[in-house]
Amino acid sequence: MNSTIKITKTTNSRLETVDFDNLTFGSTFSDHMFVVDYKDGQWQNPEIVPYGPIQIEPAMMSLHYGQAVFEGMKASKHIDGTPLLMRPELNARRFNLSAERLSMPTIPEELFLEGLHTLIDLDQAWIPPQKGSAMYVRPFMFATDNYIKVGESKTYKFIIITGPVGPYYPKPISLIAEQKYVRAVRGGTGEAKAAGNYAGSLLPARIAREKGYDQVMWMDGHDFEYIEEVGTMNIFFVMYNKVYTPATDGSILKGTTRQSVITLLRDEGYEVFEKPISIHEVLEAYDKGELQEVFGTGTAVVVAKVNKLAYRDRVLEFPLENLKVGNWVKAQIDGLRAGTIEDTRGWIVPVKSATLV
Ligand code: COI
């Protein structure tokens, strides 16, 4: 596999400095990164180099106009030590859909996956074996022309960095339904994993924190009536013993974990509905004692338990001992990622060894 990728290994590994028993999320980076440049209409010079600073100019377009997209993935270890990925092709495909929405070049899936496998193979010692921990993988692309007229860049950089992470939300989280700001509207960039979507979420997230809530639950941009997603995850409700999640109709991120969770639940016999979910349906179910669980799903969070949801003057609280569906699906994903649950769907992909491919 490494025939086209030039590899320069670090001479100064930082691995020994990492405390794998006390990992936080997102602040530790593995020794290497994969980098490939787009210029003259093609991707060129893929290489793996030691993780470190990159040189940019102040006029670099992505700093001004936000042509930047990314993915989130996780690598884990099978109990026999083999490094594994889960459905990486979904991320490669979604990455290109995001790129297209931002008028950026797509990256051949084979190059995305080759860079990914080669990098993770090289840094596999950075995958934490501890339960609840994993290697987080962040592929991203940004415009690199130095030019400040509004327009598309002609050059881009695609990079993959990785790092060992602990749980994103170590504790159950509380949500507040946003009533002023919107994340996205149909026809906007909400379906893409665009960096700017997250920038716009930071102020409402801070206000939510100041009110005592961990995250914002985004509502539709028209009437603030229909539930969309949460800042870092898609959302699921268990009501009347059935599972509901908002339909992804143009403004909601098509989560890869969301997709897997729906399949796992349906295969297990749960009725799962993807449909517009009004906040008033949720309140009604709660008032009737029929709202059994709320949980979020995402690569970073896996399955996050929600213990409180505020909407205007209502505060709904959920006893976490009831989280039957959420706990089951989390155990499934964790088990698949650790190889303790048999993968009957071909979702789990062993990381290819650079010398064998
Ligand atoms: C992920 O779940 O991987 C994400 O990209 C969401 C967030 C951490 C930005």
Side-chain angles (χ1 to χ4, degrees):
M1 182 176 275
N2 61 7
S3 54
T4 56
I5 301 178
K6 184 175 162 221
I7 299 177
T8 310
K9 288 193 190 168
T10 182
T11 51
N12 190 16
S13 172
R14 290 171 283 105
L15 187 59
E16 295 303 315
T17 66
V18 180
D19 178 359
F20 281 92
D21 290 319
N22 290 295
L23 291 168
T24 54
F25 190 98
S27 52
T28 306
F29 302 101
S30 318
D31 277 334
H32 300 91
M33 59 186 185
F34 173 74
V35 185
V36 58
D37 289 313
Y38 182 86
K39 58 180 176 220
D40 302 327
Q42 51 187 323
W43 291 100
Q44 29 192 295
N45 305 328
E47 54 177 345
I48 288 177
V49 292
Y51 175 92
I54 49 173
Q55 241 190 349
I56 58 166
E57 285 193 27
M60 187 179 70
M61 287 185 91
S62 49
L63 296 180
H64 300 267
Y65 306 122
Q67 257 191 313
V69 294
F70 70 96
E71 268 304 317
M73 313 172 70
K74 271 182 178 163
S76 54
K77 271 198 176 150
H78 189 281
I79 39 173
D80 71 7
T82 313
L84 305 173
L85 289 159
M86 185 165 166
R87 312 185 81 183
E89 70 291 347
L90 294 186
N91 297 89
R93 267 176 233 151
R94 189 176 61 179
F95 188 83
N96 281 336
L97 292 177
S98 300
E100 274 169 9
R101 178 62 186 85
L102 270 75
S103 199
M104 301 167 87
T106 55
I107 180 159
E109 243 177 70
E110 314 79 70
L111 180 58
F112 181 108
L113 294 173
E114 185 182 344
L116 181 74
H117 278 266
T118 312
L119 180 68
I120 297 173
D121 181 49
L122 185 64
D123 278 339
Q124 60 176 273
W126 288 79
I127 304 175
Q130 285 81 351
K131 199 163 184 276
S133 299
M135 171 191 267
Y136 189 73
V137 181
R138 172 53 60 85
F140 61 108
M141 169 171 44
F142 54 97
T144 52
D145 275 7
N146 299 307
Y147 186 54
I148 53 170
K149 192 171 169 197
V150 175
E152 293 144 346
S153 179
K154 292 190 180 57
T155 63
Y156 296 85
K157 219 178 240 310
F158 172 83
I159 301 182
I160 308 178
I161 56 175
T162 71
V165 295
Y168 197 91
Y169 293 126
K171 291 198 292 234
I173 60 166
S174 55
L175 305 178
I176 181 164
E178 180 58 47
Q179 289 297 290
K180 175 176 179 187
Y181 298 103
V182 294
R183 174 185 173 274
V185 288
R186 215 178 284 179
T189 59
E191 243 182 27
K193 239 170 142 51
N197 291 344
Y198 293 80
S201 75
L202 300 178
L203 173 66
R206 170 152 58 86
I207 296 170
R209 278 199 306 279
E210 285 164 2
K211 291 181 183 161
Y213 292 89
D214 296 308
Q215 272 287 342
V216 164
M217 184 174 80
W218 297 110
M219 307 297 287
D220 77 272
H222 201 256
D223 304 314
F224 291 89
E225 170 69 22
Y226 291 93
I227 295 164
E228 298 240 308
E229 62 175 270
V230 176
T232 45
M233 57 194 198
N234 294 113
I235 190 155
F236 285 74
F237 297 87
V238 183
M239 302 187 281
Y240 310 98
N241 299 311
K242 298 181 173 113
V243 185
Y244 294 85
T245 190
T248 52
D249 60 358
S251 54
I252 298 176
L253 187 78
K254 288 188 175 154
T256 56
T257 309
R258 173 188 181 281
Q259 196 176 325
S260 300
V261 163
I262 291 171
T263 304
L264 287 166
L265 291 175
R266 283 191 178 142
D267 288 357
E268 185 64 11
Y270 286 99
E271 278 185 85
V272 183
F273 299 93
E274 297 176 75
K275 67 176 224 30
I277 301 174
S278 147
I279 183 72
H280 288 98
E281 282 175 63
V282 172
L283 294 172
E284 191 183 315
Y286 182 80
D287 290 338
K288 288 182 176 159
E290 292 286 356
L291 174 51
Q292 287 118 2
E293 295 180 40
V294 184
F295 59 89
T297 65
T299 302
V301 305
V302 191
V303 175
K305 304 172 186 188
V306 175
N307 60 3
K308 201 175 0 166
L309 170 61
Y311 172 72
R312 297 195 172 161
D313 56 353
R314 297 285 315 268
V315 178
L316 319 188
E317 310 220 27
F318 313 110
L320 290 170
E321 57 275 14
N322 286 359
L323 206 73
K324 181 173 149 239
V325 181
N327 283 342
W328 179 83
V329 87
K330 180 172 188 314
Q332 291 295 306
I333 294 177
D334 289 346
L336 286 165
R337 285 191 175 281
T340 52
I341 290 180
E342 193 194 350
D343 171 30
T344 54
R345 301 174 184 85
W347 287 355
I348 300 298
V349 179
V351 170
K352 295 184 185 118
S353 157
T355 52
L356 293 180
V357 188

